[in-house]
Amino acid sequence: MNVLIVHAHPEAASFTTAMRDAAADALTESGHDVRVSDLYEMKFNPVASPNDFLGRANEDYLVYALEQRHADANGLLAPDIKAELDKVVWADLIIFNFPIYWFSMPAIMKGWLDRVFVSGRCYGGMRFYDRGGLKGKKALVSLTLGGQPHMFDANGVHGPLPDLLKHLLRGTLGYLGFDVLPPFIGWHVPYISQQERTALLDAYRERLLTLESQQPLAFPSLEDFDELLRPKAHGTA
Amino acid sequence: MNVLIVHAHPEAASFTTAMRDAAADALTESGHDVRVSDLYEMKFNPVASPNDFLGRANEDYLVYALEQRHADANGLLAPDIKAELDKVVWADLIIFNFPIYWFSMPAIMKGWLDRVFVSGRCYGGMRFYDRGGLKGKKALVSLTLGGQPHMFDANGVHGPLPDLLKHLLRGTLGYLGFDVLPPFIGWHVPYISQQERTALLDAYRERLLTLESQQPLAFPSLEDFDELLRPKAHGTA
């Protein structure tokens, strides 16, 4: 497989960074081609703006998604976006590796989603979920947090973590058509022992080397909705 | 009330920007003090980094939340963060006004959360949900999107929008202790008529002038959890 690891952590010596390296090494050793986008190291610009387009369909009024379509179709995407989009097209698996900030990604990675998953190429019109533009690719979210599993039980103080990550797992990756694997979660990372960290990295490597056998998360099928996106009478919803 | 409007849209003539202005005007006219943080206009930096601190508790290894605490306590927060944090402290109500990007905020606003809601002052330890550091303040999410309400019905293709926004409504604003009002949602905005836009702005003004009568969203109470955040036997969970 071609594997893209999109990584963001402001501390180069962090455990999250060790996860990035464990993934790159384990996947390379087992014969995969691995590329890494280290967003802090690249000083990636996360702010969607008119500067993202070398030319515009409408110079007077910015509709970002429409300009993404126009720019992608006409070779007018800013070079930093084009470089990342080329990696997306190349990849069979994309791993998003980050520490949880406010039950989501750090802004530098959120902006990678905003700018790189361009309308038209990656989604648009009725091309989402099982008709998404990135259908056939896998995505894995691998994250670290300070919390412990019991806080995210069904009756835990926060409720299930995948519910808090729904905007990402379903609303972004599932929407784009990825086979979204169950997230790998590094629990309680700031507080665990070196031995526990080593065990966590071992568990992560094990996950990465058995991806083929893992069942993706379930999302809706557009087959169950009509052309106005209303549930069909025989829909399973 | 003191009202802070945090606004982000890359097009100054957008409908989302008209919502910002409608809110500022309506609230000012009814006697409130209003300040606006227009993140695009301010060229707000959304990337959490070591540069956010004028001095460090630990120069060798960055734990962002711990440095936030240290910097806030010692007057060492970067000036752009300090200026926004002062507005948060001043505000009785914060309105987050933005177009949905990937069922969340644009990165420039996500980074405002990451950098401005500093650990220690705003949350920390057992200070979250009904013990959150920003308890007593109100928060309102006002957003625009291209989708239509039926797509977000219980059996709609995406499911309820508040479920997709849980990371923000509960995981961020509820966690911080805000009274989180039901979001104001500008449906189908790119596709509606001028008349419908006018009606939507009228509805928004009406919402803003009746905030006192609106019931905040329900979140857990830490009274129902023990000191290890396990549900108490008599908990309501």
Side-chain angles (χ1 to χ4, degrees):
Chain A
M1 285 194 297
N2 293 335
V3 182
L4 173 62
I5 302 175
V6 185
H7 168 75
H9 199 292
E11 170 55 63
S14 68
F15 182 76
T16 313
T17 310
M19 283 175 59
R20 174 200 68 191
D21 294 340
D25 292 349
L27 290 164
T28 301
E29 281 165 23
S30 62
H32 302 294
D33 285 329
V34 177
R35 299 179 71 177
V36 176
S37 288
D38 182 330
L39 302 185
Y40 273 92
E41 189 182 67
M42 295 159 69
K43 300 188 197 304
F44 186 78
N45 166 25
V47 180
S49 85
N51 301 325
D52 293 351
F53 314 110
L54 306 180
R56 295 267 292 273
N58 181 343
E59 286 286 348
D60 298 323
Y61 186 87
L62 178 72
V63 179
Y64 192 76
L66 294 183
E67 295 296 342
Q68 286 182 311
R69 289 176 183 229
H70 176 260
D72 185 32
N74 294 280
L76 296 171
L77 285 171
D80 64 333
I81 297 174
K82 177 66 165 54
E84 295 304 300
L85 181 57
D86 286 346
K87 295 179 196 171
V88 169
V89 171
W90 167 85
D92 303 303
L93 164 67
I94 304 183
I95 298 173
F96 295 92
N97 191 62
F98 59 94
I100 276 201
Y101 281 18
W102 294 116
F103 294 109
S104 187
M105 296 170 151
I108 197 171
M109 191 181 284
K110 175 56 170 64
W112 190 96
L113 305 182
D114 293 349
R115 297 178 70 229
V116 176
F117 285 143
V118 298
S119 181
R121 178 88 71 109
C122 300
Y123 70 95
M126 292 293 278
R127 293 169 55 248
F128 60 102
Y129 290 140
D130 56 341
R131 295 181 195 163
L134 302 183
K135 191 174 159 70
K137 301 178 187 288
K138 292 178 195 287
L140 174 67
V141 167
S142 62
L143 58 84
T144 55
L145 77 168
Q148 295 178 266
H150 72 272
M151 302 174 191
F152 297 90
D153 286 343
N155 66 346
V157 68
H158 299 306
L161 187 56
D163 287 357
L164 285 153
L165 298 175
K166 194 169 188 176
H167 65 294
L168 173 60
L169 298 173
R170 174 170 171 165
T172 306
L173 303 174
Y175 185 99
L176 286 160
F178 283 102
D179 284 334
V180 184
L181 301 171
F184 181 84
I185 302 170
W187 298 105
H188 212 210
V189 158
Y191 310 105
I192 62 180
S193 66
Q194 191 56 47
Q195 189 177 354
E196 287 168 311
R197 290 183 172 214
T198 301
L200 197 51
L201 290 177
D202 287 344
Y204 186 40
R205 286 188 200 91
E206 177 67 21
R207 269 294 306 274
L208 292 169
L209 298 179
T210 58
L211 293 180
E212 291 301 326
S213 63
Q214 291 160 29
Q215 190 67 24
L217 304 180
F219 300 118
S221 167
L222 292 195
E223 298 303 314
D224 295 326
F225 296 85
D226 69 18
E227 70 283 0
L228 296 174
L229 290 171
R230 295 178 194 276
K232 290 180 184 171
H234 61 80
T236 57
Chain B
M1 286 193 298
N2 293 335
V3 182
L4 172 62
I5 302 175
V6 185
H7 168 77
H9 198 293
E11 169 55 62
S14 69
F15 182 77
T16 313
T17 311
M19 284 175 57
R20 174 199 69 190
D21 294 340
D25 292 349
L27 290 165
T28 300
E29 282 166 21
S30 62
H32 302 294
D33 285 329
V34 177
R35 299 179 70 177
V36 176
S37 288
D38 183 330
L39 303 186
Y40 273 92
E41 190 182 68
M42 296 159 69
K43 300 189 197 305
F44 185 78
N45 166 26
V47 181
S49 84
N51 301 326
D52 293 351
F53 313 111
L54 305 180
R56 296 266 293 272
N58 182 344
E59 285 287 348
D60 297 324
Y61 186 87
L62 177 72
V63 178
Y64 192 76
L66 294 183
E67 295 296 343
Q68 285 182 312
R69 288 176 183 230
H70 176 260
D72 185 32
N74 294 281
L76 296 171
L77 286 171
D80 64 333
I81 297 174
K82 176 67 166 55
E84 295 303 300
L85 181 57
D86 286 347
K87 295 178 196 170
V88 169
V89 171
W90 167 85
D92 303 304
L93 164 67
I94 304 182
I95 298 173
F96 295 92
N97 191 62
F98 59 94
I100 276 202
Y101 281 19
W102 295 116
F103 293 109
S104 188
M105 297 170 151
I108 198 170
M109 192 181 284
K110 175 57 170 63
W112 190 96
L113 305 182
D114 293 349
R115 297 179 71 228
V116 176
F117 285 143
V118 299
S119 181
R121 177 88 72 110
C122 300
Y123 70 96
M126 292 293 279
R127 292 170 55 248
F128 60 101
Y129 291 139
D130 56 342
R131 296 183 194 160
L134 302 183
K135 192 173 160 72
K137 299 177 187 290
K138 292 178 195 287
L140 174 67
V141 167
S142 62
L143 58 83
T144 55
L145 77 168
Q148 295 177 268
H150 72 272
M151 302 174 191
F152 298 88
D153 286 342
N155 66 347
V157 68
H158 298 307
L161 188 56
D163 287 358
L164 285 153
L165 297 176
K166 194 170 188 176
H167 64 294
L168 173 60
L169 298 173
R170 174 170 169 166
T172 305
L173 302 175
Y175 185 99
L176 286 160
F178 283 102
D179 284 335
V180 184
L181 301 171
F184 181 85
I185 302 171
W187 299 105
H188 212 209
V189 158
Y191 310 106
I192 61 179
S193 67
Q194 191 56 47
Q195 190 176 353
E196 288 168 312
R197 289 183 173 215
T198 301
L200 196 51
L201 289 177
D202 287 343
Y204 185 42
R205 286 188 201 91
E206 177 67 20
R207 268 294 305 275
L208 291 168
L209 298 179
T210 58
L211 293 180
E212 291 301 326
S213 63
Q214 291 160 29
Q215 191 66 23
L217 304 180
F219 300 118
S221 168
L222 293 195
E223 300 302 313
D224 295 327
F225 296 85
D226 69 18
E227 70 283 358
L228 296 174
L229 290 171
R230 295 178 194 276
K232 290 179 184 172
H234 61 80
T236 57

